[in-house]
Amino acid sequence: MAVNDTSIPLSRTPVRLDDCWNRIGVFGDKSCQHLERHIHCRNCKVYGAAAIALLDHYGCNLDQEGSRYGEADALEDEGEQRSLLIFRLGDEWLALATRSLAEVMPVAAIHALPHRKARGLLGVTNVRGTLVACLSLGELLGLEHGAVRSDRHVIPRMLILETGDGPLVTPVDEVGAIQRIALARITPVKREDARAISRFTAGVTQWRERSITVLDDQQVLQNMIRSFT
């Protein structure tokens, strides 16, 4: 697996996955009963779930810049950790707990819904044959659109988020990594911050010398659902 043509060093502990795509999928004998419907294994939820599992497992190895010998051991000594997806909206770098993430998918067409004025609702998008509501997380957080970046390695994505009422999709400008961050490294926010995003902020942390706003995933999902009413 590679990200932006940069190889990711693998953990010494193997990840046990049912790599059915290599046995009965497009890289195997093509006998999978779902292949006719999905066309390619990358469109199957089994393949997508495996990708998330691998990213979660190898997430700590994605950031090699400025790493120090023994840093992983130091992280373990800091106690409880949280697995976070780090991404960018406009000029703001954010993080969301991966427990609320179902999948990271390529950008897909968004179909507007006539006569629907729900705040932040962009429309619906097709996720493997199922129409899923697509909302603007940036609008919910009160973030302004940042300047368009010319870096060819920056690829917009869509996040499929899991809620108790079903999946939701939200577009993001860039996905950074999945990282395990010690809770001790997530510091509280200043309560005098009057921005809309402060209502959904669980804390801030550092990643690749950037300040990352860690979102309260439960608050975010609840407010995304409320936007329909």
Side-chain angles (χ1 to χ4, degrees), residues 39-116:
I39 307 301
H40 195 286
C41 292
R42 63 171 170 261
N43 300 319
C44 177
K45 64 181 181 180
V46 175
Y47 189 91
I52 290 295
L54 283 171
L55 285 174
D56 195 18
H57 185 77
Y58 299 134
C60 290
N61 292 322
L62 288 173
D63 184 10
Q64 295 296 317
E65 297 178 8
S67 62
R68 301 183 302 275
Y69 178 78
E71 186 174 6
D73 293 335
L75 188 60
E76 291 182 1
D77 292 341
E78 289 180 299
E80 186 179 353
Q81 302 170 29
R82 179 164 296 168
S83 177
L84 300 173
L85 172 75
I86 298 172
F87 61 96
R88 180 177 61 81
L89 279 175
D91 295 324
E92 198 85 26
W93 282 93
L94 308 166
L96 197 67
T98 56
R99 65 190 177 192
S100 298
L101 177 70
E103 188 177 337
V104 177
M105 62 178 277
V107 171
I110 301 173
H111 306 281
L113 296 174
H115 313 301
R116 292 300 299 268

Side-chain angles (χ1 to χ4, degrees), residues 194-206:
R195 297 180 304 161
I197 192 175
S198 65
R199 293 173 45 214
F200 305 100
T201 301
V204 293
T205 190
Q206 296 292 314

